[in-house]
Each structure stands twice: as C-alpha cells, then as structure tokens.
Amino acid sequence: MTGVQIINALAVLLIITSLMVVETRKPHLSAHIYSIQSFVLVLIFLALAIFMKATPLYIWSITALVTKVILVPYLIIKALEKVGDPGEPGALLSPASSLLLAALFIGLAFLIVTPFHMQAILKLKTALAVSIAHFLLGLLCILTRRNALKQILGYCLMENGSHLTLAFMAYNAPETVEIGILTDAIFAVVIMSVIAVYLFKVLGTLDTDKLTSLKG
C-alpha cells in the first residue's frame, strides 16, 4: 500500500468516526469516540510527515496527541461528570434525516475539491475532501444537537477538520502555527465547558432550546 493510499484510508476512517460522534446519543460515549477519531488524525499527521517529508508535522502529531486525544476528551468528560451526564434531550432531526444531510455534506465537500489542481495535493484530493466534510459534519452537530456539551464536540470536529485541511495545504508551516491553533482550541473548549456547567447549575438543563431565559 502506498503512502497516498494509507492517508486516504485513514481519512475515510476519520469520516466514519465523525459520523459516530454526531449520531451517538450519549455525550459521554461521543467524547470517547472523539478521542479515537483524534488518534486517527494523529496517524494522518504522522503519515504526511513521513511520505511528504514534512518535518514540522512530527511536532503537530505530538501536540495533537496531547491536546486532542487526551486533554479535550478529558475536559468534556469531567464537565459531563459535574452535571451528571443528563444525556441528549433529543435532536432536531431524526437519525435518518441526519444521516441524509451528512451524506449531502460529504458530497458537497467532494464537489468543492473537484476544481483543485495543485500538484502537491492532487493525489490527496480524497483526503482533502474528507477534511472539508469533517468541518461540515461539526457544523451539522452544532445545528442539530441540543445538548450544550455535545455542541462543544461539534466545535471540536470543525476544529479537527480545519486543522487537517491546513495540514494538507501547508504541511511545511512552522510549528508555532500549530501550537497557536491548538492553544486557541483548548482555551475555547475550557471556556465553553465552564459556561455549560454553570448554565446547568443555574437552569438545571443543558438543553439549548430551553435556554430562552438568556434572551435580552
């Protein structure tokens, strides 16, 4: 199996785990699947580092392993423990409708990369399409899930998608770029988790549809 085939296969695995994060009804389980998905992302970074001879991606892999595989899921799980993991209050779409919309998003991502003819990414167009689809699936999670902590996982999916796109498009970017992105993402997850826990303590729910008292 060639390097390109390995990267494309890992990218397909990434999209499957993304769908599982979005569709799983238990936020606690979604956080664990997100950790697995992030580990697949780390493997893609390592594969790109080896086959594209992109040395900075070794640092990306290490920082992603610490932050995305360990730290972010830990923060989400601790937040769920503080609120007693109330589960998901229900989605705006049925599972069938959600999967159909996810399939449309994935198709849209492949359409977006069709005109790309950059030599550097020509063989990785499938993986690049997956990275864009990953971003769109994160958006789908935010728009259709009502559990505030599940929506944070949607944000994390979007961040993973943009991170992977950056890795494909600028794999020789300095390590400082990667560290800056990850630092922003971690702070965002910390702040959103603290707000979600505080809202639960005050209002007794993580259902974003019931947070109408915040209006005005």
PDB file of all heavy atoms in Angstrom, residues 7 10 38-51 54 57-65 68 160 163-168 178 182:
ATOM      1  N   ILE A   7      -2.969   7.315   3.615  1.00  0.00           N
ATOM      2  CA  ILE A   7      -3.571   8.574   4.077  1.00  0.00           C
ATOM      3  C   ILE A   7      -5.046   8.639   3.713  1.00  0.00           C
ATOM      4  O   ILE A   7      -5.895   9.036   4.530  1.00  0.00           O
ATOM      5  CB  ILE A   7      -2.803   9.774   3.479  1.00  0.00           C
ATOM      6  CG1 ILE A   7      -1.393   9.840   4.072  1.00  0.00           C
ATOM      7  CG2 ILE A   7      -3.556  11.084   3.743  1.00  0.00           C
ATOM      8  CD1 ILE A   7      -0.481  10.815   3.381  1.00  0.00           C
ATOM      9  N   LEU A  10      -7.004   6.305   6.017  1.00  0.00           N
ATOM     10  CA  LEU A  10      -7.167   6.911   7.341  1.00  0.00           C
ATOM     11  C   LEU A  10      -8.211   8.027   7.305  1.00  0.00           C
ATOM     12  O   LEU A  10      -8.982   8.205   8.259  1.00  0.00           O
ATOM     13  CB  LEU A  10      -5.825   7.450   7.837  1.00  0.00           C
ATOM     14  CG  LEU A  10      -4.786   6.416   8.260  1.00  0.00           C
ATOM     15  CD1 LEU A  10      -3.437   7.074   8.502  1.00  0.00           C
ATOM     16  CD2 LEU A  10      -5.247   5.688   9.524  1.00  0.00           C
ATOM     17  N   SER A  38      -9.536  11.532  17.056  1.00  0.00           N
ATOM     18  CA  SER A  38      -8.359  12.403  17.101  1.00  0.00           C
ATOM     19  C   SER A  38      -7.071  11.587  16.971  1.00  0.00           C
ATOM     20  O   SER A  38      -6.078  12.072  16.424  1.00  0.00           O
ATOM     21  CB  SER A  38      -8.352  13.209  18.408  1.00  0.00           C
ATOM     22  OG  SER A  38      -9.468  14.073  18.453  1.00  0.00           O
ATOM     23  N   PHE A  39      -7.107  10.347  17.492  1.00  0.00           N
ATOM     24  CA  PHE A  39      -5.927   9.494  17.329  1.00  0.00           C
ATOM     25  C   PHE A  39      -5.710   9.152  15.853  1.00  0.00           C
ATOM     26  O   PHE A  39      -4.565   9.099  15.387  1.00  0.00           O
ATOM     27  CB  PHE A  39      -6.089   8.213  18.154  1.00  0.00           C
ATOM     28  CG  PHE A  39      -4.883   7.322  18.127  1.00  0.00           C
ATOM     29  CD1 PHE A  39      -3.713   7.705  18.761  1.00  0.00           C
ATOM     30  CD2 PHE A  39      -4.907   6.121  17.453  1.00  0.00           C
ATOM     31  CE1 PHE A  39      -2.586   6.904  18.724  1.00  0.00           C
ATOM     32  CE2 PHE A  39      -3.788   5.303  17.409  1.00  0.00           C
ATOM     33  CZ  PHE A  39      -2.620   5.702  18.048  1.00  0.00           C
ATOM     34  N   VAL A  40      -6.813   8.949  15.132  1.00  0.00           N
ATOM     35  CA  VAL A  40      -6.699   8.722  13.683  1.00  0.00           C
ATOM     36  C   VAL A  40      -6.088   9.964  13.017  1.00  0.00           C
ATOM     37  O   VAL A  40      -5.248   9.859  12.111  1.00  0.00           O
ATOM     38  CB  VAL A  40      -8.076   8.396  13.066  1.00  0.00           C
ATOM     39  CG1 VAL A  40      -7.966   8.246  11.546  1.00  0.00           C
ATOM     40  CG2 VAL A  40      -8.648   7.129  13.673  1.00  0.00           C
ATOM     41  N   LEU A  41      -6.514  11.147  13.491  1.00  0.00           N
ATOM     42  CA  LEU A  41      -5.951  12.398  12.964  1.00  0.00           C
ATOM     43  C   LEU A  41      -4.435  12.447  13.190  1.00  0.00           C
ATOM     44  O   LEU A  41      -3.676  12.853  12.299  1.00  0.00           O
ATOM     45  CB  LEU A  41      -6.627  13.596  13.648  1.00  0.00           C
ATOM     46  CG  LEU A  41      -6.231  14.980  13.154  1.00  0.00           C
ATOM     47  CD1 LEU A  41      -6.763  15.234  11.750  1.00  0.00           C
ATOM     48  CD2 LEU A  41      -6.747  16.065  14.106  1.00  0.00           C
ATOM     49  N   VAL A  42      -4.010  12.018  14.360  1.00  0.00           N
ATOM     50  CA  VAL A  42      -2.568  11.984  14.666  1.00  0.00           C
ATOM     51  C   VAL A  42      -1.841  11.047  13.691  1.00  0.00           C
ATOM     52  O   VAL A  42      -0.755  11.366  13.197  1.00  0.00           O
ATOM     53  CB  VAL A  42      -2.338  11.528  16.128  1.00  0.00           C
ATOM     54  CG1 VAL A  42      -0.863  11.242  16.385  1.00  0.00           C
ATOM     55  CG2 VAL A  42      -2.839  12.591  17.097  1.00  0.00           C
ATOM     56  N   LEU A  43      -2.462   9.901  13.402  1.00  0.00           N
ATOM     57  CA  LEU A  43      -1.850   8.956  12.458  1.00  0.00           C
ATOM     58  C   LEU A  43      -1.717   9.577  11.064  1.00  0.00           C
ATOM     59  O   LEU A  43      -0.728   9.347  10.361  1.00  0.00           O
ATOM     60  CB  LEU A  43      -2.687   7.672  12.382  1.00  0.00           C
ATOM     61  CG  LEU A  43      -2.730   6.812  13.653  1.00  0.00           C
ATOM     62  CD1 LEU A  43      -3.611   5.586  13.435  1.00  0.00           C
ATOM     63  CD2 LEU A  43      -1.328   6.386  14.079  1.00  0.00           C
ATOM     64  N   ILE A  44      -2.716  10.384  10.674  1.00  0.00           N
ATOM     65  CA  ILE A  44      -2.628  11.066   9.366  1.00  0.00           C
ATOM     66  C   ILE A  44      -1.476  12.066   9.370  1.00  0.00           C
ATOM     67  O   ILE A  44      -0.713  12.154   8.390  1.00  0.00           O
ATOM     68  CB  ILE A  44      -3.962  11.773   9.040  1.00  0.00           C
ATOM     69  CG1 ILE A  44      -5.069  10.742   8.814  1.00  0.00           C
ATOM     70  CG2 ILE A  44      -3.814  12.654   7.801  1.00  0.00           C
ATOM     71  CD1 ILE A  44      -6.435  11.342   8.551  1.00  0.00           C
ATOM     72  N   PHE A  45      -1.334  12.809  10.462  1.00  0.00           N
ATOM     73  CA  PHE A  45      -0.210  13.747  10.557  1.00  0.00           C
ATOM     74  C   PHE A  45       1.122  13.012  10.424  1.00  0.00           C
ATOM     75  O   PHE A  45       2.036  13.465   9.721  1.00  0.00           O
ATOM     76  CB  PHE A  45      -0.247  14.505  11.897  1.00  0.00           C
ATOM     77  CG  PHE A  45      -1.323  15.537  11.994  1.00  0.00           C
ATOM     78  CD1 PHE A  45      -1.736  16.026  13.227  1.00  0.00           C
ATOM     79  CD2 PHE A  45      -1.940  16.051  10.869  1.00  0.00           C
ATOM     80  CE1 PHE A  45      -2.723  16.987  13.329  1.00  0.00           C
ATOM     81  CE2 PHE A  45      -2.931  17.008  10.947  1.00  0.00           C
ATOM     82  CZ  PHE A  45      -3.319  17.474  12.181  1.00  0.00           C
ATOM     83  N   LEU A  46       1.233  11.875  11.108  1.00  0.00           N
ATOM     84  CA  LEU A  46       2.475  11.099  11.043  1.00  0.00           C
ATOM     85  C   LEU A  46       2.713  10.571   9.629  1.00  0.00           C
ATOM     86  O   LEU A  46       3.841  10.609   9.123  1.00  0.00           O
ATOM     87  CB  LEU A  46       2.415   9.931  12.037  1.00  0.00           C
ATOM     88  CG  LEU A  46       2.663  10.271  13.504  1.00  0.00           C
ATOM     89  CD1 LEU A  46       2.426   9.048  14.381  1.00  0.00           C
ATOM     90  CD2 LEU A  46       4.079  10.813  13.715  1.00  0.00           C
ATOM     91  N   ALA A  47       1.638  10.089   8.985  1.00  0.00           N
ATOM     92  CA  ALA A  47       1.774   9.576   7.617  1.00  0.00           C
ATOM     93  C   ALA A  47       2.212  10.693   6.667  1.00  0.00           C
ATOM     94  O   ALA A  47       3.086  10.492   5.812  1.00  0.00           O
ATOM     95  CB  ALA A  47       0.442   8.974   7.165  1.00  0.00           C
ATOM     96  N   LEU A  48       1.599  11.877   6.829  1.00  0.00           N
ATOM     97  CA  LEU A  48       2.001  13.024   5.995  1.00  0.00           C
ATOM     98  C   LEU A  48       3.453  13.406   6.257  1.00  0.00           C
ATOM     99  O   LEU A  48       4.201  13.715   5.314  1.00  0.00           O
ATOM    100  CB  LEU A  48       1.093  14.227   6.291  1.00  0.00           C
ATOM    101  CG  LEU A  48      -0.290  14.226   5.646  1.00  0.00           C
ATOM    102  CD1 LEU A  48      -1.127  15.381   6.196  1.00  0.00           C
ATOM    103  CD2 LEU A  48      -0.180  14.351   4.125  1.00  0.00           C
ATOM    104  N   ALA A  49       3.855  13.365   7.526  1.00  0.00           N
ATOM    105  CA  ALA A  49       5.234  13.730   7.877  1.00  0.00           C
ATOM    106  C   ALA A  49       6.229  12.794   7.195  1.00  0.00           C
ATOM    107  O   ALA A  49       7.282  13.219   6.711  1.00  0.00           O
ATOM    108  CB  ALA A  49       5.412  13.679   9.394  1.00  0.00           C
ATOM    109  N   ILE A  50       5.875  11.506   7.156  1.00  0.00           N
ATOM    110  CA  ILE A  50       6.791  10.509   6.569  1.00  0.00           C
ATOM    111  C   ILE A  50       6.793  10.590   5.047  1.00  0.00           C
ATOM    112  O   ILE A  50       7.862  10.685   4.418  1.00  0.00           O
ATOM    113  CB  ILE A  50       6.384   9.087   7.029  1.00  0.00           C
ATOM    114  CG1 ILE A  50       6.590   8.947   8.537  1.00  0.00           C
ATOM    115  CG2 ILE A  50       7.182   8.025   6.268  1.00  0.00           C
ATOM    116  CD1 ILE A  50       5.986   7.690   9.125  1.00  0.00           C
ATOM    117  N   PHE A  51       5.602  10.582   4.458  1.00  0.00           N
ATOM    118  CA  PHE A  51       5.529  10.463   2.999  1.00  0.00           C
ATOM    119  C   PHE A  51       5.733  11.801   2.269  1.00  0.00           C
ATOM    120  O   PHE A  51       6.140  11.805   1.111  1.00  0.00           O
ATOM    121  CB  PHE A  51       4.195   9.842   2.608  1.00  0.00           C
ATOM    122  CG  PHE A  51       4.028   8.445   3.135  1.00  0.00           C
ATOM    123  CD1 PHE A  51       3.037   8.136   4.050  1.00  0.00           C
ATOM    124  CD2 PHE A  51       4.894   7.433   2.742  1.00  0.00           C
ATOM    125  CE1 PHE A  51       2.896   6.851   4.554  1.00  0.00           C
ATOM    126  CE2 PHE A  51       4.772   6.143   3.243  1.00  0.00           C
ATOM    127  CZ  PHE A  51       3.767   5.852   4.148  1.00  0.00           C
ATOM    128  N   ALA A  54       7.632  16.128   5.628  1.00  0.00           N
ATOM    129  CA  ALA A  54       7.270  17.396   6.275  1.00  0.00           C
ATOM    130  C   ALA A  54       7.616  17.303   7.760  1.00  0.00           C
ATOM    131  O   ALA A  54       6.800  16.854   8.589  1.00  0.00           O
ATOM    132  CB  ALA A  54       5.783  17.681   6.081  1.00  0.00           C
ATOM    133  N   LEU A  57       5.381  18.376  10.859  1.00  0.00           N
ATOM    134  CA  LEU A  57       4.208  17.585  11.220  1.00  0.00           C
ATOM    135  C   LEU A  57       4.489  16.585  12.340  1.00  0.00           C
ATOM    136  O   LEU A  57       3.556  16.080  12.960  1.00  0.00           O
ATOM    137  CB  LEU A  57       3.654  16.860   9.988  1.00  0.00           C
ATOM    138  CG  LEU A  57       2.901  17.747   8.999  1.00  0.00           C
ATOM    139  CD1 LEU A  57       2.436  16.942   7.800  1.00  0.00           C
ATOM    140  CD2 LEU A  57       1.701  18.406   9.663  1.00  0.00           C
ATOM    141  N   TYR A  58       5.750  16.286  12.607  1.00  0.00           N
ATOM    142  CA  TYR A  58       6.051  15.434  13.768  1.00  0.00           C
ATOM    143  C   TYR A  58       5.657  16.169  15.054  1.00  0.00           C
ATOM    144  O   TYR A  58       5.112  15.564  15.987  1.00  0.00           O
ATOM    145  CB  TYR A  58       7.535  15.074  13.792  1.00  0.00           C
ATOM    146  CG  TYR A  58       7.933  14.066  12.732  1.00  0.00           C
ATOM    147  CD1 TYR A  58       8.707  14.429  11.649  1.00  0.00           C
ATOM    148  CD2 TYR A  58       7.509  12.738  12.829  1.00  0.00           C
ATOM    149  CE1 TYR A  58       9.057  13.512  10.666  1.00  0.00           C
ATOM    150  CE2 TYR A  58       7.854  11.807  11.850  1.00  0.00           C
ATOM    151  CZ  TYR A  58       8.632  12.199  10.779  1.00  0.00           C
ATOM    152  OH  TYR A  58       8.966  11.279   9.812  1.00  0.00           O
ATOM    153  N   ILE A  59       5.953  17.467  15.104  1.00  0.00           N
ATOM    154  CA  ILE A  59       5.552  18.272  16.274  1.00  0.00           C
ATOM    155  C   ILE A  59       4.035  18.379  16.320  1.00  0.00           C
ATOM    156  O   ILE A  59       3.425  18.295  17.399  1.00  0.00           O
ATOM    157  CB  ILE A  59       6.187  19.682  16.204  1.00  0.00           C
ATOM    158  CG1 ILE A  59       7.708  19.567  16.112  1.00  0.00           C
ATOM    159  CG2 ILE A  59       5.784  20.504  17.431  1.00  0.00           C
ATOM    160  CD1 ILE A  59       8.353  18.929  17.305  1.00  0.00           C
ATOM    161  N   TRP A  60       3.404  18.579  15.144  1.00  0.00           N
ATOM    162  CA  TRP A  60       1.929  18.631  15.097  1.00  0.00           C
ATOM    163  C   TRP A  60       1.352  17.355  15.705  1.00  0.00           C
ATOM    164  O   TRP A  60       0.368  17.391  16.448  1.00  0.00           O
ATOM    165  CB  TRP A  60       1.453  18.745  13.650  1.00  0.00           C
ATOM    166  CG  TRP A  60       1.701  20.042  12.969  1.00  0.00           C
ATOM    167  CD1 TRP A  60       2.810  20.818  13.068  1.00  0.00           C
ATOM    168  CD2 TRP A  60       0.825  20.718  12.058  1.00  0.00           C
ATOM    169  NE1 TRP A  60       2.686  21.927  12.263  1.00  0.00           N
ATOM    170  CE2 TRP A  60       1.488  21.884  11.645  1.00  0.00           C
ATOM    171  CE3 TRP A  60      -0.429  20.429  11.555  1.00  0.00           C
ATOM    172  CZ2 TRP A  60       0.918  22.784  10.744  1.00  0.00           C
ATOM    173  CZ3 TRP A  60      -1.009  21.323  10.658  1.00  0.00           C
ATOM    174  CH2 TRP A  60      -0.338  22.488  10.264  1.00  0.00           C
ATOM    175  N   SER A  61       1.960  16.207  15.357  1.00  0.00           N
ATOM    176  CA  SER A  61       1.447  14.922  15.841  1.00  0.00           C
ATOM    177  C   SER A  61       1.509  14.833  17.357  1.00  0.00           C
ATOM    178  O   SER A  61       0.551  14.398  18.014  1.00  0.00           O
ATOM    179  CB  SER A  61       2.253  13.771  15.233  1.00  0.00           C
ATOM    180  OG  SER A  61       2.250  13.838  13.833  1.00  0.00           O
ATOM    181  N   ILE A  62       2.628  15.268  17.914  1.00  0.00           N
ATOM    182  CA  ILE A  62       2.807  15.179  19.373  1.00  0.00           C
ATOM    183  C   ILE A  62       1.818  16.102  20.092  1.00  0.00           C
ATOM    184  O   ILE A  62       1.142  15.687  21.050  1.00  0.00           O
ATOM    185  CB  ILE A  62       4.258  15.536  19.757  1.00  0.00           C
ATOM    186  CG1 ILE A  62       5.217  14.494  19.185  1.00  0.00           C
ATOM    187  CG2 ILE A  62       4.409  15.621  21.276  1.00  0.00           C
ATOM    188  CD1 ILE A  62       6.685  14.873  19.302  1.00  0.00           C
ATOM    189  N   THR A  63       1.707  17.336  19.610  1.00  0.00           N
ATOM    190  CA  THR A  63       0.801  18.289  20.273  1.00  0.00           C
ATOM    191  C   THR A  63      -0.656  17.857  20.110  1.00  0.00           C
ATOM    192  O   THR A  63      -1.461  18.011  21.029  1.00  0.00           O
ATOM    193  CB  THR A  63       0.996  19.711  19.720  1.00  0.00           C
ATOM    194  OG1 THR A  63       0.913  19.670  18.285  1.00  0.00           O
ATOM    195  CG2 THR A  63       2.336  20.275  20.116  1.00  0.00           C
ATOM    196  N   ALA A  64      -0.992  17.307  18.932  1.00  0.00           N
ATOM    197  CA  ALA A  64      -2.368  16.836  18.725  1.00  0.00           C
ATOM    198  C   ALA A  64      -2.664  15.635  19.617  1.00  0.00           C
ATOM    199  O   ALA A  64      -3.780  15.487  20.127  1.00  0.00           O
ATOM    200  CB  ALA A  64      -2.583  16.473  17.254  1.00  0.00           C
ATOM    201  N   LEU A  65      -1.668  14.778  19.820  1.00  0.00           N
ATOM    202  CA  LEU A  65      -1.857  13.611  20.690  1.00  0.00           C
ATOM    203  C   LEU A  65      -2.184  14.061  22.120  1.00  0.00           C
ATOM    204  O   LEU A  65      -3.103  13.528  22.756  1.00  0.00           O
ATOM    205  CB  LEU A  65      -0.592  12.749  20.682  1.00  0.00           C
ATOM    206  CG  LEU A  65      -0.623  11.504  21.574  1.00  0.00           C
ATOM    207  CD1 LEU A  65      -1.645  10.499  21.044  1.00  0.00           C
ATOM    208  CD2 LEU A  65       0.752  10.863  21.646  1.00  0.00           C
ATOM    209  N   LYS A  68      -5.697  16.814  21.655  1.00  0.00           N
ATOM    210  CA  LYS A  68      -6.949  16.307  21.073  1.00  0.00           C
ATOM    211  C   LYS A  68      -7.314  14.901  21.540  1.00  0.00           C
ATOM    212  O   LYS A  68      -8.488  14.590  21.724  1.00  0.00           O
ATOM    213  CB  LYS A  68      -6.847  16.327  19.546  1.00  0.00           C
ATOM    214  CG  LYS A  68      -6.724  17.713  18.946  1.00  0.00           C
ATOM    215  CD  LYS A  68      -6.509  17.631  17.443  1.00  0.00           C
ATOM    216  CE  LYS A  68      -6.367  19.003  16.841  1.00  0.00           C
ATOM    217  NZ  LYS A  68      -7.624  19.758  16.924  1.00  0.00           N
ATOM    218  N   ASN A 160     -11.001  20.070  14.147  1.00  0.00           N
ATOM    219  CA  ASN A 160     -10.189  18.982  13.579  1.00  0.00           C
ATOM    220  C   ASN A 160     -10.181  19.051  12.049  1.00  0.00           C
ATOM    221  O   ASN A 160      -9.157  18.824  11.400  1.00  0.00           O
ATOM    222  CB  ASN A 160     -10.740  17.624  14.019  1.00  0.00           C
ATOM    223  CG  ASN A 160     -10.169  17.179  15.353  1.00  0.00           C
ATOM    224  OD1 ASN A 160      -9.378  17.899  15.956  1.00  0.00           O
ATOM    225  ND2 ASN A 160     -10.585  16.018  15.823  1.00  0.00           N
ATOM    226  N   HIS A 163      -8.042  21.894  10.938  1.00  0.00           N
ATOM    227  CA  HIS A 163      -6.656  21.536  11.251  1.00  0.00           C
ATOM    228  C   HIS A 163      -6.092  20.602  10.177  1.00  0.00           C
ATOM    229  O   HIS A 163      -4.961  20.764   9.706  1.00  0.00           O
ATOM    230  CB  HIS A 163      -6.662  20.844  12.613  1.00  0.00           C
ATOM    231  CG  HIS A 163      -5.355  20.914  13.310  1.00  0.00           C
ATOM    232  ND1 HIS A 163      -5.174  20.593  14.626  1.00  0.00           N
ATOM    233  CD2 HIS A 163      -4.129  21.261  12.863  1.00  0.00           C
ATOM    234  CE1 HIS A 163      -3.923  20.730  14.952  1.00  0.00           C
ATOM    235  NE2 HIS A 163      -3.260  21.135  13.908  1.00  0.00           N
ATOM    236  N   LEU A 164      -6.910  19.625   9.782  1.00  0.00           N
ATOM    237  CA  LEU A 164      -6.464  18.667   8.773  1.00  0.00           C
ATOM    238  C   LEU A 164      -6.307  19.341   7.405  1.00  0.00           C
ATOM    239  O   LEU A 164      -5.357  19.056   6.666  1.00  0.00           O
ATOM    240  CB  LEU A 164      -7.473  17.512   8.677  1.00  0.00           C
ATOM    241  CG  LEU A 164      -7.095  16.354   7.762  1.00  0.00           C
ATOM    242  CD1 LEU A 164      -5.766  15.732   8.169  1.00  0.00           C
ATOM    243  CD2 LEU A 164      -8.188  15.287   7.770  1.00  0.00           C
ATOM    244  N   THR A 165      -7.237  20.243   7.081  1.00  0.00           N
ATOM    245  CA  THR A 165      -7.120  20.979   5.819  1.00  0.00           C
ATOM    246  C   THR A 165      -5.814  21.770   5.783  1.00  0.00           C
ATOM    247  O   THR A 165      -5.105  21.785   4.769  1.00  0.00           O
ATOM    248  CB  THR A 165      -8.317  21.944   5.647  1.00  0.00           C
ATOM    249  OG1 THR A 165      -9.530  21.202   5.710  1.00  0.00           O
ATOM    250  CG2 THR A 165      -8.245  22.667   4.312  1.00  0.00           C
ATOM    251  N   LEU A 166      -5.500  22.412   6.908  1.00  0.00           N
ATOM    252  CA  LEU A 166      -4.243  23.165   6.987  1.00  0.00           C
ATOM    253  C   LEU A 166      -3.042  22.240   6.793  1.00  0.00           C
ATOM    254  O   LEU A 166      -2.075  22.597   6.103  1.00  0.00           O
ATOM    255  CB  LEU A 166      -4.149  23.877   8.340  1.00  0.00           C
ATOM    256  CG  LEU A 166      -2.860  24.667   8.591  1.00  0.00           C
ATOM    257  CD1 LEU A 166      -2.742  25.821   7.592  1.00  0.00           C
ATOM    258  CD2 LEU A 166      -2.818  25.200  10.017  1.00  0.00           C
ATOM    259  N   ALA A 167      -3.125  21.044   7.382  1.00  0.00           N
ATOM    260  CA  ALA A 167      -2.014  20.095   7.257  1.00  0.00           C
ATOM    261  C   ALA A 167      -1.798  19.682   5.801  1.00  0.00           C
ATOM    262  O   ALA A 167      -0.659  19.507   5.355  1.00  0.00           O
ATOM    263  CB  ALA A 167      -2.282  18.862   8.120  1.00  0.00           C
ATOM    264  N   PHE A 168      -2.898  19.524   5.041  1.00  0.00           N
ATOM    265  CA  PHE A 168      -2.779  19.146   3.633  1.00  0.00           C
ATOM    266  C   PHE A 168      -2.267  20.308   2.777  1.00  0.00           C
ATOM    267  O   PHE A 168      -1.451  20.121   1.876  1.00  0.00           O
ATOM    268  CB  PHE A 168      -4.134  18.684   3.091  1.00  0.00           C
ATOM    269  CG  PHE A 168      -4.542  17.320   3.550  1.00  0.00           C
ATOM    270  CD1 PHE A 168      -5.809  17.097   4.052  1.00  0.00           C
ATOM    271  CD2 PHE A 168      -3.662  16.250   3.493  1.00  0.00           C
ATOM    272  CE1 PHE A 168      -6.198  15.837   4.478  1.00  0.00           C
ATOM    273  CE2 PHE A 168      -4.036  14.990   3.917  1.00  0.00           C
ATOM    274  CZ  PHE A 168      -5.307  14.782   4.417  1.00  0.00           C
ATOM    275  N   GLU A 178       0.909  25.673  14.427  1.00  0.00           N
ATOM    276  CA  GLU A 178       0.179  24.561  15.029  1.00  0.00           C
ATOM    277  C   GLU A 178      -0.075  24.806  16.506  1.00  0.00           C
ATOM    278  O   GLU A 178      -1.190  24.620  17.007  1.00  0.00           O
ATOM    279  CB  GLU A 178       0.982  23.275  14.816  1.00  0.00           C
ATOM    280  CG  GLU A 178       0.789  22.187  15.835  1.00  0.00           C
ATOM    281  CD  GLU A 178      -0.537  21.479  15.695  1.00  0.00           C
ATOM    282  OE1 GLU A 178      -1.280  21.826  14.764  1.00  0.00           O
ATOM    283  OE2 GLU A 178      -0.825  20.607  16.523  1.00  0.00           O
ATOM    284  N   LEU A 182      -3.760  25.156  18.373  1.00  0.00           N
ATOM    285  CA  LEU A 182      -4.173  24.247  19.441  1.00  0.00           C
ATOM    286  C   LEU A 182      -4.435  24.992  20.744  1.00  0.00           C
ATOM    287  O   LEU A 182      -5.365  24.665  21.481  1.00  0.00           O
ATOM    288  CB  LEU A 182      -3.095  23.177  19.652  1.00  0.00           C
ATOM    289  CG  LEU A 182      -3.049  22.099  18.578  1.00  0.00           C
ATOM    290  CD1 LEU A 182      -1.909  21.129  18.837  1.00  0.00           C
ATOM    291  CD2 LEU A 182      -4.362  21.329  18.553  1.00  0.00           C
TER     292      LEU A 182
END
